[in-house]
Amino acid sequence: MVFSSAISLFFFVPIVFLLDRRLSNVDAKNTWLLLASLVFYSFGQVYYLPLLLLSVALNYVCGRLAAGKYAKLGVTLAVIGGIGLLAVFKYADFAIRTVNALCGLSLPLTGIALPIGISFFTFQGLSYVIDVYREPQMVSHSFKKVLLYIAFFPQLIAGPIVKYHDVEQEIDSRRTTPQETALGIRRFICGLSKKLLLSNALGQMADTVFALPAGEIGMLAGWTGAICYTLQIYFDFSGYSDMAIGLGRMFGFHFRENFNYPYTATTIKEFWRRWHISLSGWFRDYLYIPLGGNRKGNARTWLNRFLVFFATGLWHGASWTFVLWGLWHGLFSVLEDCGAIPVDKLKGKRIGQLYTLLVVVLGFTLFRADTLAQAGAMYAAMFSGIGLHWLGTAAVWAKFTPAFALTLCLALLLCTPVAREHTPKRESVTFIGSLGLLLLCMMYLAAGSFNPFIYFRF
């Protein structure tokens, strides 16, 4: 997927934006943005464009049914269809490999390529139908509007997951101002900088460590790789979310925030209120609450938590490493809820932040590992890898240049809300800073070194 990268967005956006500004009628703008979004997706995987259109058509029809006397049929078909698409295109080979391993069989794999963004556009479509089932008056009778809502290119590939009622009015009527456009451009540049200048550099160190042979990963290399990946995935994904939010604002759409400094959380429950907020909200509204939430006693509440985190892990990828990563977070969420971990003594305190970061770093080590064996080797190195592991130590020190040390310090600083407040007096500084970041990004792109966004594969 070459086109749907930071590089392609960098050059694709100005063309779409300038032509959008030439149109005065909102219907014409919607048509143009829809065409641009379909072209954007086609350059990544044109052969899966019909699948995207089929998914949207299914949700459109089911939405119409969900708003009428066949409401239960509509929402049932949408859930079966959406989960069915994921089962075939994302989880079929995972299921076959699991059966083969458990039963000693050699069933052939399907070899089906994963459609770009299927987890995001499937969940977004399902949220539309379920919301219409709950509130029939919000149904849309325009297939074009539903298609634009789901396929709008800024958030199509990697979110954030947007609810229809959040953008419904802006699809029908929106206005853009120079101030809003400027804010959107700066937000886009901020996100692009997170990806190119921070995430990619941190990712190179993480990739170096995770590529080492198991016996050559010492304690230094293990913790360096784990911490760098924890920072990499944050700046990678929050960077894309910033880009999507900024692009949306440039075109008159206001998407909700998807990250709120999650590494400052002092409990795991707080972490999930700050990390990938749109996905956490989706599972809360469409799985946790329908399962009963916390209304049916402690045992049922804890079971519901585990089910939600199991689904969260599986949503991220067809691998047991992702599933166990989700259950790892579910375990600590339940331990906090039942009082086994003294939440009251952790909230708002430094020790709580250290506890949360330890859980998160260990979890992302499992998330990043290609296999459970690799995760086990990393954990063994992190907690017992004392000794001279020459290959691992040399690999880390070779990457630990002054430029990398500066990047690491900057990344750690920017995980905290040091620059949250924006005042009119700082507007000129922000503008100059944005230009400087843009120039650095252009220089980085000119060097021809780029890693795809991590969440493109989910």
Side-chain angles (χ1 to χ4, degrees):
M1 177 180 178
V2 177
F3 191 76
S4 299
S5 65
I7 300 174
S8 53
L9 280 172
F10 190 80
F11 295 106
F12 179 76
V13 168
I15 298 172
V16 178
F17 176 75
L18 291 174
L19 287 176
D20 178 78
R21 281 296 189 270
R22 299 286 295 176
L23 301 171
S24 57
N25 181 276
V26 70
D27 187 61
K29 287 177 177 287
N30 287 345
T31 301
W32 166 239
L33 290 179
L34 179 56
L35 291 174
S37 298
L38 297 180
V39 168
F40 179 78
Y41 192 85
S42 297
F43 273 95
Q45 286 180 333
V46 66
Y47 48 88
Y48 274 143
L49 180 61
L51 179 68
L52 171 64
L53 296 173
L54 174 64
S55 176
V56 176
L58 173 66
N59 287 302
Y60 169 73
V61 172
C62 289
R64 296 289 297 271
L65 292 173
K69 61 180 181 179
Y70 300 108
K72 290 186 178 180
L73 175 63
V75 75
T76 301
L77 289 176
V79 171
I80 293 174
I83 301 303
L85 286 178
L86 289 176
V88 171
F89 288 94
K90 188 169 183 177
Y91 301 113
D93 282 348
F94 172 59
I96 294 172
R97 283 193 296 269
T98 301
V99 170
N100 286 344
L102 293 176
C103 303
L105 301 177
S106 299
L107 299 175
L109 300 179
T110 65
I112 298 175
L114 181 66
I116 299 168
I118 187 171
S119 296
F120 288 95
F121 67 70
T122 298
F123 270 32
Q124 195 151 308
L126 282 175
S127 73
Y128 166 71
V129 178
I130 296 172
D131 284 347
V132 168
Y133 175 74
R134 294 171 176 174
E135 300 179 45
Q137 69 275 10
M138 67 172 285
V139 66
S140 174
H141 295 276
S142 169
F143 175 72
K144 185 173 77 171
K145 291 179 182 178
V146 176
L147 181 57
L148 177 61
Y149 154 66
I150 296 176
F152 189 32
F153 74 91
Q155 42 74 220
L156 169 62
I157 304 300
I161 301 171
V162 179
K163 293 185 178 181
Y164 185 71
H165 61 73
D166 288 335
V167 295
E168 179 182 10
Q169 292 184 349
E170 292 175 336
I171 290 176
D172 292 327
S173 177
R174 59 185 180 273
R175 56 187 292 269
T176 55
T177 64
Q179 292 78 13
E180 286 282 295
T181 301
L183 287 173
I185 292 173
R186 287 201 289 269
R187 187 68 179 269
F188 177 85
I189 293 173
C190 177
L192 185 66
S193 302
K194 282 184 177 181
K195 168 59 180 173
L196 297 181
L197 306 180
L198 296 177
S199 177
N200 282 3
L202 294 162
Q204 290 176 8
M205 177 66 84
D207 290 345
T208 297
V209 173
F210 278 88
L212 289 170
E216 292 296 336
I217 307 174
M219 186 175 289
L220 172 65
W223 281 103
T224 301
I227 291 171
C228 283
Y229 183 73
T230 300
L231 293 170
Q232 177 198 2
I233 194 171
Y234 169 66
F235 286 108
D236 186 286
F237 193 22
S238 70
Y240 188 90
S241 294
D242 286 341
M243 293 168 68
I245 292 170
L247 286 173
R249 182 167 286 192
M250 288 167 59
F251 292 104
F253 294 91
H254 293 78
F255 302 147
R256 294 188 177 184
E257 294 296 331
N258 207 26
F259 288 87
N260 182 22
Y261 301 101
Y263 294 161
T264 64
T266 53
T267 65
I268 290 301
K269 291 178 67 175
E270 182 188 356
F271 172 80
W272 280 99
R273 288 194 292 267
R274 293 171 175 269
W275 175 274
H276 203 343
I277 299 170
S278 63
L279 181 66
S280 302
W282 197 98
F283 277 116
R284 180 196 63 228
D285 295 340
Y286 305 115
L287 183 58
Y288 180 67
I289 293 176
L291 284 173
N294 59 0
R295 303 187 304 274
K296 298 184 178 182
N298 289 335
R300 182 63 181 272
T301 297
W302 300 335
L303 175 61
N304 291 342
R305 291 265 178 87
F306 274 115
L307 290 174
V308 167
F309 277 104
F310 173 86
T312 301
L314 192 61
W315 178 89
H316 279 83
S319 170
W320 286 110
T321 56
F322 293 118
V323 172
L324 292 178
W325 169 78
L327 293 176
W328 170 259
H329 279 269
L331 172 64
F332 282 92
S333 177
V334 169
L335 289 175
E336 290 177 1
D337 194 58
C338 71
I341 294 177
V343 173
D344 292 339
K345 296 181 180 180
L346 299 176
K347 282 184 178 179
K349 297 180 181 178
R350 185 66 64 185
I351 190 174
Q353 187 177 2
L354 292 175
Y355 144 74
T356 304
L357 285 173
L358 178 61
V359 174
V360 169
V361 169
L362 293 177
F364 276 136
T365 302
L366 179 60
F367 188 97
R368 171 60 177 80
D370 295 325
T371 63
L372 294 177
Q374 186 183 38
M378 282 290 294
Y379 290 142
M382 292 165 71
F383 290 101
S384 63
I386 299 174
L388 297 177
H389 298 78
W390 295 108
L391 182 60
T393 303
V396 169
W397 281 114
K399 292 284 185 180
F400 213 96
T401 62
F404 176 79
L406 178 62
T407 300
L408 181 60
C409 292
L410 185 61
L412 292 171
L413 180 65
L414 293 178
C415 285
T416 62
V418 292
R420 174 179 284 174
E421 299 298 328
H422 296 280
T423 62
K425 292 182 180 180
R426 295 173 59 186
E427 284 299 310
S428 59
V429 177
T430 305
F431 175 74
I432 295 172
S434 298
L435 284 180
L437 289 175
L438 181 60
L439 290 174
L440 288 174
C441 289
M442 292 174 66
M443 292 169 61
Y444 186 96
L445 292 173
S449 176
F450 177 76
N451 296 320
F453 284 93
I454 293 173
Y455 269 68
F456 277 2
R457 60 192 177 101
F458 301 144

